[in-house]
Amino acid sequence: MAQAYVAETDNGGSGAERRGSRLRRLFDGWRGDRGIWRRGLILAALAIVLALVMLLHSRIPNRIGNLGSLTETFLPWLGIFVPILLILAFVRKSVTALIAVLLPVTVWLNLFGGLLTDKTGSGGDLTVATHNVNADNPDPSGTARDVAASGADVLALEELTQTAVPVYEKALAATYKYHSVQGTVGLWSKYPLSGAKPVGIKLGWTRAMRATVSAPAGQVAVYVAHLPSVRVKLEAGFTARQRDKSANALGEAIADEKLSRKILLGDLNGTMNDRALNGVTSQMRSTQGAAGSGFGFSWPASFPMARIDQIMVQGVDPVTSWTLPETGSDHLPVAARVKLAAGDS
């Protein structure tokens, strides 16, 4: 028995020694090499620039092609360059570059590290969901069944066409007793709706609405919005002027809301980092940021790269937030569980 014990101990030691040997071999070529501080200066400069772009993203001007908003839309993805710079620093055997890479790592973690943790909770008294169903959806009936199966008490749909509205109404009738469609957006609810009306967002046609939902835990003002699309064009950059005007108008409508509990559901065609949505984001919380797990990217459905479909609240406590499976749309549905009643746990 003693010999067997010694043999196992030796094997473990040999494994540790082998790992240590590999690490030593990795850095053997660095010993006595004075160039490790002089090499990789360009890589170090790139790392510093990357850190500054992430740290000072709000200072990037929008005057030229809305470059600031474009950067902020895909800001989390700048972290992809960190491992690339790290690998190149090792290849170049540059201590200077390795130290410099710590800067963008620190900035990225400061900006997005909180999203990597699971903040989902339990409880709550109202489940809400929103989905841009896509005007060209080949299976609206199936999409309606999919989102209804999420268990949402309140469901918002955007990009509704006149021909598709009856299909969604029929497919959702068994689950939702109450609903209102205003222009190209609609709200379905298991609880009574009142005060449903369009919300003007300076478009000339209706792509936003509000209604009061009388849930068991109390009344809440629910807004549904589909802000104008943005485009990335070589000759014009990130074209978002109309989206920005509509976002400001939506923010004003929410600020004027008389009810203290407010929920915004919809496709905002922008992320929480995009300064152009400050009129809305400055007064409301993202359920994903407060009670989700991960980034919750929702678009495009085939390979989600940004969360432009939002659930935001004011005077309401987010409990959990998640992304639903793909439907026939080019967006993923998103859902959240919130707490209306102060005493609910």
Side-chain angles (χ1 to χ4, degrees), residues 261-279:
R261 296 170 178 154
K262 310 171 191 179
I263 298 176
L264 171 61
L265 306 169
D267 173 8
L268 303 190
N269 270 307
T271 68
M272 293 296 295
N273 298 311
D274 191 338
R275 77 194 69 171
L277 301 185
N278 281 351

Side-chain angles (χ1 to χ4, degrees), residues 180 182 192-199 209-214 222 257:
S180 174
Q182 305 286 335
L193 295 177
S194 60
K197 63 181 182 180
V199 172
M209 64 170 289
R210 67 83 64 199
T212 298
V213 176
S214 297
V222 178
E257 173 60 51

